[in-house]
């Protein structure tokens, strides 16, 4: 019952529309809209919660208790913050490219929303079951760089420009080891379909059979999300806030929430690719699969925050040097070793 | 080994995550203050003899005293401290002979309006001189041959 609760709800709506005599095409359209709304609500509520969680984790790691005044245990803190930001003016500085400047915060939520449509939240729980899901996710995820660039360029501010150029150089140098690390997983599974990748981890998660790939992927994911220690793009001591410098009010809030949506994607992908997705470990199948996915995702998110409040920021040359001189060769070696291992396995006849 | 320091750092924050928190929930709980804390002032208006030593001792001219003579005694009618200029040096408290002016542990003196900032300890009308007491005092003075001042009320 609990396992299939969301699928049951979807089927119930479909049957309701079918019995009301709605044509099949419209039925599908309505179903797609319902799924999309569910995903948007999921992302927004999680983004709000994650801002709160981030502040709480930060506080706890610094012997503080974090926000605790607005609402019970400070739970309404982010809601209040967003309410404040909505009510504030969006200041448009002189000389900015007005259209692009206002377009960037609107577009920033498009890549995360698109990606979430293919992520399997549970058994048979994905909005679209795409054959090239993995490829799709990373193709779309790279698009957010473009939007940071739009925001930084249109701001007509040297700090914004520097910040967005850093985003691009970071993305170019970390997308490569990320993809190369994933090749090991793809070689083993032989498919780009996310559900098949999860099902291939039934006996052992890929974190066990591909530990190097997991490490490289995780480091690259942190860098892709522009999180500490790789948050050069907004390094506040050097370039104020990078592309966000000129944004105020809800424009800034959109960038801020999108950052957390990106973290959710990175941790969801880590879960899917290396932590067995919605598969229950140790045969604990009485807990529904979507809850397992959620728990694993949040464990990864916690590690993200843990890293953020432990490490200092790296320099740009250290970042690029690490990406090209350490991660890329390491991921290439991983592919090589994986290939040899697969060959040996096949030769042994397992 | 490469990465050893990173793990060590993670360990530090992990331990800190579960450790006891130092935050004092300010309005609900407060730090204990030292006994000689220079906080808000407190005036025992009955003990005050309106001598003006505190006003003289104040480097910033914070204290304003007004008094009237009633029955040959100084009667304190107004005692205002413009606390916005006060530097809490404690000269006034030291200067007070009668121990009427004291520091308290209270430190929250913020106000919503500027006009509410000054501490008004005494703002009252002087009582009308009582002819009976006045005569009696005169008699006392005669009998003691203007030696001692009469004993203060309420002391």
């Amino acid at each position: 019952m609990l396992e299939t609760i969301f699928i049951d709800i979807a089927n119930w709506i479909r049957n309701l529309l079918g019995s009301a005599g709605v044509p099949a095409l419209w039925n599908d359209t309505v179903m797609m809209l319902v799924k999309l709304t569910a995903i948007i609500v999921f992302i927004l509520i999680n983004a709000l919660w994650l801002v709160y969680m981030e502040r709480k984790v930060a506080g706890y790691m610094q012997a503080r208790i974090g926000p605790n005044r607005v609402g019970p245990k400070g739970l309404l803190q982010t809601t209040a913050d967003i309410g404040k930001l909505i009510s504030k003016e969006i200041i448009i500085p002189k000389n900015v490219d007005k259209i692009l400047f206002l377009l960037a915060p609107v577009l920033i939520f498009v890549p995360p929303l698109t990606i979430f449509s293919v992520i399997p939240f549970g058994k048979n729980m994905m909005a679209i079951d795409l054959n090239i899901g993995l490829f799709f996710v990373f193709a779309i995820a790279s698009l957010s760089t473009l939007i940071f660039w739009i925001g930084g360029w249109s701001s007509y501010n040297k700090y914004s420009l520097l910040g967005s150029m850093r985003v691009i150089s970071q993305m170019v140098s970390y997308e490569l080891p990320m993809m190369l690390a994933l090749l090991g997983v793809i070689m083993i599974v032989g498919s780009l379909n996310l559900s098949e990748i999860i099902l291939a981890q039934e006996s052992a998660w890929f974190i066990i059979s591909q530990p190097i790939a997991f490490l490289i992927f995780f480091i690259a994911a942190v860098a892709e999300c522009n999180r500490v220690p790789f948050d050069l793009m907004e390094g506040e001591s050097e370039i104020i806030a990078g592309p966000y410098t000129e944004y105020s009010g809800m424009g800034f809030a959109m960038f801020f929430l999108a950052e957390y949506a990106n973290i959710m994607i990175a941790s969801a992908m880590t879960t899917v690719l290396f932590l067995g997705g919605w598969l229950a470990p140790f045969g604990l199948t009485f807990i529904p699969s979507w809850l397992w996915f959620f728990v694993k995702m949040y464990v990864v998110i916690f590690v993200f925050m843990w890293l953020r409040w432990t490490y200092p920021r790296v320099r740009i040359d250290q970042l690029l040097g690490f990406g090209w001189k350490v991660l890329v060769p390491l991921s290439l070696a991983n592919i090589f070793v994986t290939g040899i291992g697969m060959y040996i396995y096949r030769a042994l006849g397992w | 080994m490469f990465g050893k320091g990173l793990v060590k750092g993670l360990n530090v924050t992990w331990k800190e995550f579960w450790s006891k928190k130092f935050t004092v929930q300010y309005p609900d709980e407060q730090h204990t203050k030292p006994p000689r804390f220079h906080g808000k002032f407190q005036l025992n208006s009955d003990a005050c003899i309106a001598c003006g030593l505190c006003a003289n001792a104040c480097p910033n001219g914070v204290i304003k005293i007004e008094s009237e003579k009633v029955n040959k005694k100084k009667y304190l009618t107004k005692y205002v401290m413009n606390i916005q200029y006060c530097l809490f040096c404690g000269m006034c408290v030291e200067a007070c002979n009668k121990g009427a002016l004291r520091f308290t542990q209270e430190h929250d003196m913020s106000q919503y309006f500027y006009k509410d900032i000054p501490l008004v300890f005494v703002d009252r009308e002087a009582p009308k001189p009582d002819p009976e007491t006045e005569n009696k005092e005169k008699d006392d003075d005669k009998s003691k041959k203007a030696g001692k001042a009469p004993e203060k009320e309420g002391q």
Side-chain angles (χ1 to χ4, degrees), chain A residues 167-187:
Chain A
V167 176
I168 290 176
S169 60
Q170 205 166 315
M171 181 68 88
V172 167
S173 44
Y174 276 80
E175 196 87 328
L176 196 63
M178 194 184 214
M179 290 296 124
L180 290 176
L182 286 184
L183 269 185
V185 172
I186 297 166
M187 277 160 72

Side-chain angles (χ1 to χ4, degrees), chain A residues 67 164 199 242:
Chain A
S164 40
L199 286 174

Side-chain angles (χ1 to χ4, degrees), chain A residues 115-325:
Chain A
I115 290 167
F116 265 102
S117 61
V118 299
I119 285 179
F121 292 99
K123 213 175 198 168
N124 303 323
M125 266 175 61
M126 53 211 303
I128 306 161
D129 195 356
L130 213 58
N131 255 342
I132 50 160
L134 192 62
F135 182 69
F136 178 81
V137 166
F138 290 101
I140 301 290
S142 318
L143 278 182
S144 59
T145 323
L146 202 65
I147 296 153
F148 281 121
W149 173 247
I150 291 175
W153 183 80
S154 63
S155 289
Y156 200 73
N157 179 319
K158 59 189 168 192
Y159 299 122
S160 305
L161 196 64
L162 275 173
S164 40
M165 281 170 81
R166 282 181 180 187
V167 176
I168 290 176
S169 60
Q170 205 166 315
M171 181 68 88
V172 167
S173 44
Y174 276 80
E175 196 87 328
L176 196 63
M178 194 184 214
M179 290 296 124
L180 290 176
L182 286 184
L183 269 185
V185 172
I186 297 166
M187 277 160 72
I188 295 174
V189 182
S191 167
L192 288 168
N193 190 318
L194 291 177
S195 328
E196 278 177 39
I197 291 175
I198 290 174
L199 286 174
Q201 300 178 59
E202 199 121 42
S203 50
W205 294 356
F206 282 136
I207 190 174
I208 297 160
S209 51
Q210 292 277 320
I212 304 285
F214 169 75
L215 259 183
I216 296 168
F217 176 83
F218 191 73
I219 292 169
V222 174
E224 296 266 293
C225 291
N226 302 310
R227 295 277 297 180
V228 177
F230 306 112
D231 70 329
L232 291 144
M233 110 178 181
E234 54 166 312
E236 50 276 87
S237 54
E238 308 150 28
I239 50 170
I240 323 241
Y244 314 150
T245 307
E246 295 291 355
Y247 283 98
S248 57
M250 205 52 204
F252 175 76
M254 289 297 275
F255 276 116
F256 199 65
L257 291 179
E259 189 191 322
Y260 286 96
N262 281 329
I263 293 167
M264 279 164 65
I265 287 169
S267 41
M269 285 318 288
T270 315
T271 310
V272 167
L273 295 168
F274 293 100
L275 300 177
W278 41 260
L279 289 174
F282 314 119
L284 297 169
T285 41
F286 64 92
I287 298 168
S289 60
W290 45 269
L291 198 63
W292 269 120
F293 179 84
F294 203 66
V295 168
K296 287 175 188 174
M297 194 174 102
Y298 262 87
V299 168
V300 180
I301 288 175
F302 177 79
V303 176
F304 265 83
M305 292 177 177
W306 187 9
L307 289 175
R308 169 161 185 184
W309 297 103
T310 306
Y311 297 140
R313 187 180 306 126
V314 298
R315 279 200 320 266
I316 186 83
D317 60 317
Q318 290 171 333
L319 174 92
L320 297 182
F322 185 67
W324 289 103
K325 291 177 196 160

Side-chain angles (χ1 to χ4, degrees), chain A residues 56-96:
Chain A
K56 271 288 185 195
V57 169
Y60 271 57
M61 284 183 176
Q62 296 166 355
R64 302 184 283 117
I65 42 179
N68 66 334
R69 289 285 142 179
V70 190
K73 298 267 168 200
L75 272 168
L76 295 175
Q77 180 67 51
T78 337
T79 322
D81 285 345
I82 293 296
K84 184 204 78 173
L85 284 166
I86 286 173
S87 67
K88 284 179 94 166
E89 183 190 359
I90 296 178
I91 296 164
I92 300 174
K94 207 176 162 187
N95 286 333
V96 302

